[in-house]
Amino acid sequence: MSRRRRWQLLGLDASGDLAAVAVARRGKRAGLAIEAHRFRRHDGAWVWEQVGPTSDFSEPTLPPRSLSGNDGWSESATQSDVRTGDSVGLWHLVAPATQTRTDGRTRPVPPHGWVVTVDLAAARTTELLDADDEVIGHLEIQDPRSTSRRFRAAMWWNRRRRPGADLWSNDAPDHADR
């Protein structure tokens, strides 16, 4: 990224009528945000819905990939629709992860290690593969409909009080302290 160009496309994924694009956006003076933008297909065209999960960093450069992490990834942020179960995940994969496999389709992991996944009603599992095509981990997002009755009731009540609000739950860590 240069001074004039403050964003960089990192990756994309699509499943059915849901798609997500991961971008890195550098601040004017400091910091970096990795964002997943959600799109949905309406009348044959992709329409932007909103910014999905994000990860924020105090440094203006992409963080290096880790050699180890939790089930093949070192950073993650997810966002799920409580009504439908549709989910978007933003993942920073560990260095040994060289490919992802979803629904029988294998794709290389970019050198920066950031990937975005979409899951319709948590129906997809993405496998992480090493250079020898061995599975080293999985990218799975918990179905938000399996959350507690109390949480779902609170989301329903908020929706009644604020009809224009969305019902996406966000599980995004704050890494601004780095």
Side-chain angles (χ1 to χ4, degrees):
M1 284 182 274
S2 68
R3 291 184 104 173
R4 291 182 184 257
R5 190 173 139 200
R6 295 185 6 204
W7 61 272
Q8 177 181 356
L9 178 65
L10 299 179
L12 61 96
D13 190 22
S15 179
D17 290 339
L18 181 66
V21 176
V23 296
R25 184 178 45 82
R26 185 177 54 82
K28 283 187 177 182
R29 291 183 175 50
L32 179 77
I34 309 292
E35 304 170 336
H37 291 263
R38 280 196 340 262
F39 295 83
R40 196 161 306 265
R41 192 183 336 242
H42 292 287
D43 298 327
W46 289 102
V47 178
W48 181 82
E49 282 192 332
Q50 71 183 68
V51 174
T54 64
S55 286
D56 297 314
F57 302 92
S58 58
E59 294 297 318
T61 57
L62 288 171
R65 290 175 72 177
S66 173
L67 292 177
S68 64
N70 182 18
D71 203 21
W73 47 271
S74 59
E75 304 278 344
S76 73
T78 62
Q79 191 176 61
S80 302
D81 187 328
V82 176
R83 294 170 297 189
T84 65
D86 296 349
S87 302
V88 174
L90 181 62
W91 313 88
H92 195 209
L93 304 184
V94 296
T98 60
Q99 302 176 80
T100 63
R101 182 170 51 211
T102 308
D103 298 333
R105 185 181 74 207
T106 303
R107 295 185 299 170
V109 173
H112 51 67
W114 287 95
V115 297
V116 63
T117 62
V118 296
D119 299 308
L120 297 175
R124 295 173 23 159
T125 298
T126 299
E127 296 175 314
L128 299 180
L129 308 173
D130 64 10
D132 298 324
D133 292 337
E134 297 292 324
V135 176
I136 61 172
H138 294 87
L139 303 180
E140 296 183 76
I141 302 172
Q142 180 182 354
D143 188 341
R145 295 172 297 180
S146 67
T147 58
S148 73
R149 296 177 91 189
R150 187 176 191 174
F151 175 78
R152 287 185 308 212
M155 293 296 286
W156 174 83
W157 180 248
N158 281 335
R159 179 70 172 183
R160 284 185 52 117
R161 289 180 42 217
R162 298 180 313 157
D166 66 30
L167 285 179
W168 287 83
S169 64
N170 196 357
D171 177 26
D174 181 16
H175 299 290
D177 58 336
R178 288 188 188 187

